[in-house]
């Protein structure tokens, strides 16, 4: 216990120290929200990765989908690395950096407002961010607190409050730069921790080959492969269709999440994007691939403690029970690992929420003539507000982790992914198409919460994203186009960059 507590004390001390160090970067709006748009590739790549993977992934998703799909759940991690990291950086990174800097937009709602010349779109997008990031934030607390309960026997309430307080301190003090530096430190911890944990868990089962042999003997309880042994060690698992839905939501979904895309706004320059792409992808392979690979062995740890009184599975208890058998020093590493992942995600979420609400909703709409200093102060106050609100929800979460996160990701990515991506590349996207995507993404996700016409919130989120990708081009073709001169002026910045890059390349050769 002394070792575990010491590790936590050191961890929290470093986080607060980074917040104090970063105060000089948080005096202006650009500095507080985007680190002055001067964050290097390593910090940006780690910030992207650590915001992506939190206790929701390590405890909730890895536990639930590892149990359902066995070792095939590793495909989710690989999908996260290839689609959610590599392709996201390649497709969105450079254009997002160039266009948002040209438009001087600091948030995703701000991008919609400037790109489509619509204040109403900007306000509506900020409302969607506000509503759907809060349950996601609550789900982060939930996953982390289960591990704390296992490791320290500390009540859930205390875990949530301690985590919230320390996150609030360093986000309020240092803004984006504090979160980026802490994300880098936390990312290093995550990389070392996941490797050590996987090795320890497999060793406890007699090694990798023996663990596979045991998994192969477990009969499937999925209707399609009912009773079939070996389903949980097969290439695509016992339920490949639903597995594909999870891969789509958790991988493609990042393309439309404001806290993820915002990392491209802040990166130093276009050259840094190439370096960041490689780092971010490798990070995702190790962390996400490792989490789901570990979760794939969950059925070897079946126990009455991970079932409720009616015999129903408690998916959020799978990973904590799996890790409870480890030595104290490794449990301490696991707690710090998941704490690192969760605090980085939480910091990113509350910073995104507070900046969006301040810059896109309150500024010039509710509060007129907000000075630079006042904007920063309002954002700092809203950081506290969002953390308190998410704590209240986390105290009595409406459903278990994966579903809570699925609803948030589905609504946000379903609403934003298509108009954001098309808006970066295609001049023909219309204002009506953006509205249609907002309505479709939020409509599918929210209506499914009540009507349940799609069995899983995860699959509902995937459907919402795909629907947006179809709806935006169709509506754009049949609705009035934007002013051609305005659109040409927006795209001119990127076209000029392309010409300059080609010229430099020819000169170098």
């Amino acid at each position: 216990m002394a070792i575990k507590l010491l590790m936590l004390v050191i961890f929290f001390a470093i986080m607060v120290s980074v917040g104090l160090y970063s105060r000089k970067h948080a005096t202006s709006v650009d500095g507080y929200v985007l680190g002055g748009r001067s964050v290097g590739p390593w910090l940006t790549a780690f910030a992207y990765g650590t915001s992506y993977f939190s206790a929701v992934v390590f405890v909730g998703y890895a536990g639930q989908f590892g149990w359902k799909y066995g070792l095939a759940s590793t495909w989710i991690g690989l999908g996260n690395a290839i689609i959610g990291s590599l392709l996201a950086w390649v497709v969105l990174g450079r254009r997002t950096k160039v266009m948002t800097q040209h438009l001087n937009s600091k948030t995703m709602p701000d991008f919609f407002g400037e790109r489509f010349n619509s204040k109403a779109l900007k306000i509506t997008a900020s409302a969607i961010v506000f509503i759907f990031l809060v349950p996601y934030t609550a789900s982060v607390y939930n996953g982390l607190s289960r591990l704390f309960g296992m490791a320290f026997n500390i009540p859930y309430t205390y875990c949530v409050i301690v985590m919230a307080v320390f996150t609030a301190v360093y986000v309020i003090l240092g803004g984006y730069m504090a979160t980026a530096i802490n994300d880098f430190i936390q990312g290093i911890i995550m990389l070392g921790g996941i490797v050590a944990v996987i090795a320890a868990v497999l060793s406890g089962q007699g090694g990798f080959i023996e663990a596979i042999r045991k998994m192969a003997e477990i009969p499937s309880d999925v209707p399609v492969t009912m009773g079939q042994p070996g389903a949980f060690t097969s290439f695509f698992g016992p339920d490949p269709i639903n597995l594909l839905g999870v891969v789509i939501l958790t991988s493609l979904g990042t393309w439309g999440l404001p806290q993820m895309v915002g990392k491209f706004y802040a990166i130093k320059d276009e050259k840094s994007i190439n370096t960041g792409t490689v780092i971010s992808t490798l990070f995702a392979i190790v962390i996400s691939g490792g989490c789901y690979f570990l979760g794939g062995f969950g059925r070897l740890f079946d126990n009455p403690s991970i079932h409720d009184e009616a015999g129903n599975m408690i998916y959020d208890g799978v990973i904590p029970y799996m890790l409870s058998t480890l030595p104290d020093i490794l449990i301490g590493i696991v707690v710090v690992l998941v704490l690192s992942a969760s605090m980085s995600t939480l910091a990113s979420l509350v910073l995104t929420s507070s900046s969006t609400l301040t810059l896109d909703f309150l500024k010039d709409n509710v509060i007129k003539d907000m000075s630079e200093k006042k904007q920063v102060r309002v954002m700092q106050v809203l950081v506290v507000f969002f953390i308190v609100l998410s704590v209240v929800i986390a105290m009595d979460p409406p459903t278990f982790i994966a579903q809570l996160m699925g609803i948030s990701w589905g609504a946000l990515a379903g609403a934003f992914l298509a108009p954001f991506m098309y808006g970066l590349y295609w001049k023909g996207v219309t204002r009506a198409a953006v509205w249609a995507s907002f309505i479709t993404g939020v409509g599918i996700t929210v209506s499914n919460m009540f009507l349940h016409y799609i069995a899983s919130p995860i699959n509902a989120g995937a459907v919402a994203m795909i629907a947006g990708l179809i709806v935006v081009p169709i509506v754009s073709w049949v609705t009035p186009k934007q002013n051609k001169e305005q659109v040409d002026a927006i795209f001119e910045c990127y076209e000029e960059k392309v010409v300059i890059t080609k010229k430099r390349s020819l000169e170098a050769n």
Side-chain angles (χ1 to χ4, degrees), residues 236-450:
F236 290 119
D239 193 0
I241 300 300
N242 278 315
L243 176 62
L244 179 62
V246 178
V247 172
I248 292 172
L249 176 70
T250 61
S251 303
L252 192 60
T254 59
W255 295 34
L257 296 179
Q259 75 274 17
M260 303 297 296
V261 175
K263 304 297 185 286
F264 303 134
Y265 290 44
I267 199 165
K268 183 168 59 177
D269 51 40
E270 295 167 65
K271 186 180 177 182
S272 298
I273 290 170
N274 296 328
T275 308
T277 302
V278 176
I279 299 166
S280 178
T281 304
L282 292 175
F283 184 89
I285 289 172
V286 176
I287 298 300
S288 190
C291 285
Y292 287 108
F293 176 73
L294 178 66
F297 291 97
R299 285 182 181 261
L300 297 180
F301 297 84
D302 196 2
N303 185 274
S305 65
I306 56 175
H307 297 267
D308 62 19
E309 293 178 358
N312 298 313
M313 189 68 202
I314 305 172
Y315 293 115
D316 300 344
V318 175
I319 298 294
Y321 178 75
M322 180 188 292
L323 302 176
S324 66
T325 58
L326 298 178
D328 274 358
I329 184 69
L330 275 176
I331 290 177
I333 290 172
V334 170
V335 171
V336 175
L337 181 163
V338 182
L339 185 64
S340 298
S342 301
M343 287 185 70
S344 58
T345 303
L346 180 61
S348 180
L349 292 172
V350 297
L351 187 59
T352 300
S353 300
S354 64
S355 59
T356 294
L357 194 59
T358 302
L359 302 177
D360 304 323
F361 186 77
L362 297 178
K363 183 188 173 188
D364 299 330
N365 297 311
V366 178
I367 305 174
K368 304 294 183 182
D369 302 320
M370 286 181 76
S371 66
E372 188 100 349
K373 188 175 181 180
K374 189 172 184 180
Q375 289 174 53
V376 173
R377 289 286 176 267
V378 170
M379 281 187 278
Q380 290 170 327
V381 170
L382 286 174
V383 164
V384 177
F385 169 73
F386 276 106
I387 284 182
V388 170
L389 184 59
S390 59
V391 165
V392 171
I393 295 174
M395 292 301 179
D396 186 23
T399 185
F400 57 85
I401 297 173
Q403 272 52 40
L404 203 60
M405 182 177 169
I407 291 165
S408 297
W409 274 45
L412 289 163
F416 295 154
L417 188 156
F420 184 78
M421 184 177 70
Y422 285 129
L424 289 174
Y425 280 88
W426 182 27
K427 295 180 181 181
V429 182
T430 65
R431 200 173 295 132
V434 182
W435 281 114
S437 183
F438 286 4
I439 293 167
T440 302
V442 174
I444 290 174
T445 309
V446 173
S447 62
N448 190 63
M449 287 170 59
F450 300 100

Side-chain angles (χ1 to χ4, degrees), residues 42 46 50 53 183-198 279-288 290 333 336-338 340-341:
W42 282 87
F46 272 68
T50 54
F53 310 116
D183 288 349
F184 182 75
I185 297 168
Q186 292 160 350
I188 298 294
I189 295 170
M190 289 166 68
L191 288 170
I194 193 67
V195 172
V197 168
I198 291 172
I279 299 166
S280 178
T281 304
L282 292 175
F283 184 89
I285 289 172
V286 176
I287 298 300
S288 190
I333 290 172
V336 175
L337 181 163
V338 182
S340 298

